Amino acid sequence: MLAYSMLYPTVTLTRRVVSMDGMWKFALDEKSEGEAQRYVEGFPGKDMIPVPASFQDFYTEKEIREYTGDMWYEKDMFVPGEWEGKDVIIRFAAATHRAEVFVNGIKVAAHEGGFLPFCAKVTDVVRYNAYNKVVVKVNNELTVTNIPCGETITLSNGRKMAKPYFDFYNYSGLQRSVHLMAVPKESVHDIDLAYELNGGDAKISYRIKTTGEHPVQVKLFDEDGKETASAKGKEGVLEVKAAHLWEVHAAYLYKLSVRIMDDAEIVDEYEQQIGIRTVEVKGTSILLNGKPIYLKGFGKHEDSDIVGRGFNMGIMKRDFELMKWIGANSFRTSHYPYSEEIYQMADREGFLIIDEVPAVGLFESLMNFMEASTGKQTAFFEKETTPVLLKAHLKAVEEMITRDKNHPSVIAWSLLNEPETTSDAAVPYFKEIFDCAIELDPQKRPRTFALVMNSVPGVCKCYQFSDIIALNRYYGWYVKGGNEICDAEKMFREEMDAWKALNLDKPFIFSEYGADTLGSEHKLPSVMWSQEYQKEYLDMTHGVFDSYDFVKGEQIWNFADFQTTEGIMRVNGNKKGVFTRQRQPKDAAYLLKDRWTKIPLDYKKEKDSF
Ligand code: BDP
């Protein structure tokens, strides 16, 4: 069990939440002198930076944008006197990639991993009815002992530089919201829910973890605020007659209220929106509420101009509007768990999410999409440091599942993206990760990972762990592009035939496919990088998808153009977006809209066998 609660901060009868978002003092610490100079009590300088945001794209100096190392954030926080007697907690929705937190000069928390929340309990160090100094040391170096993987090199001018083994910019800092909360000392810590449908009725099995011994009361309210079911005890069942199910693009959200009671007194109250639905894999079908579904949508990134990977509410809203417009029903949170507000919106809008842990770069190459296309085999899981990496990976899986398990939108866990799968050492590593996920998830959702180009039948030693086989495939882009596209199609079909021959009786989805395309380029006849070629590529690829009945989903790479490390393979970022980084359509968007609005949710339902 995690030391702190992952529950999203909410105000209830017993809980208080104050946002700490806004301008924070900011300083880089190139020589890592901050600690020795007691930065933990407050540091010199006047530079201010917004939170949430990545720090990089605000600045005009390249050495700041590319800065790798320690950086410091500082803010004064007022703690109200009426909170005395409760636990006072600072909650960081994310600090990328690691952080140490100090309040009034005292260390109160440390966390590794840049995309999941952590809390600092500061009850015993704060002064009430007074300002308290919060100082956070953030570090954005990449290593092979934490996810996402990469290296940190030192240039000849003495500066450190991040070298990701993955294809997105190493945006970092306090990229998500910070909250100050007051929570009762005896409180709701965690909530497990699992669903069973029976005719029109539903059973919700629940388990509540609290930090004390007082009894628990659970109630369910419908969208009109009417009480629909109730139960007593830390574990039990809520019986919902004539349940409104949560469906794709027709989400119904109930409110779950959990109270810890001391006779008539409410010790703690926590409320959360939930949706009643089941998810399972049966044969080659993915079933939602017992009915087959076909996934249409995207691999995405949290990425936009100026704020980088910082959570941006406006971008979130625009992205959902575009996804509805184009006829999508799903997305993968490639390559890290996203901001919690995005899952809340997906719950509300009825979108399906494949939730991905930040396990990317477990393949030793900056351009694994290129090297894997050559059939190159590497041995990533045979390093001396692999056990340390595994520990960090397991912890991230635990944090992600604990954080996201009650979102109806989350239908599957993606446990790695494009790892090396060709050596025997990968097998026990995968086993631990996949076992951990099924054990932690009360709903036993399907598990998957995205297979890189060289993970093919006969070579890949790990696909059997997946409940849904997810392929990242770039035939016609990294392999046999342009005028050779007929050969790309031939190779693609040969691979698909090889999968078919294995008779796995599992659903396949394409978790990535796409072609870089410049929003500015038109060319008749087409050339690679032109809008015309993106469409030709898609027509060929979709034709292959449509010929195999066990293919139950397509999530194109990528929703929008996004920032990467600079290099000869990238033109100020990856341009495989269906939309530009400014969220305007390329021509391919209209092709996809046409296709996806025609494909029914239960596409290929009759043909769910090989
Ligand atoms: C795959 C990765 C993804 C890349 C993509 C690409 O999973 O992160 O951005 O290919 O090459 O290797 O565009």
Side-chain angles (χ1 to χ4, degrees), residues 166-168 301 332 335 360 368-369 417-418 452 472 474 478 512 516 557 562 570 574 576:
F166 49 86
D167 185 38
F168 50 91
H301 264 298
R332 175 171 62 125
H335 292 306
V360 56
N368 57 11
F369 39 86
N417 179 72
E418 297 200 339
V452 69
N472 291 359
Y474 290 95
Y478 293 122
E512 285 187 27
D516 282 277
W557 191 255
F562 60 92
R570 296 290 178 253
N574 186 308
K576 293 192 186 68

Side-chain angles (χ1 to χ4, degrees), residues 166-187:
F166 49 86
D167 185 38
F168 50 91
Y169 193 67
N170 189 37
Y171 280 122
S172 30
L174 294 180
Q175 304 186 118
R176 295 183 190 160
S177 290
V178 184
H179 291 105
L180 175 65
M181 322 192 279
V183 174
K185 288 201 183 287
E186 182 173 351
S187 61

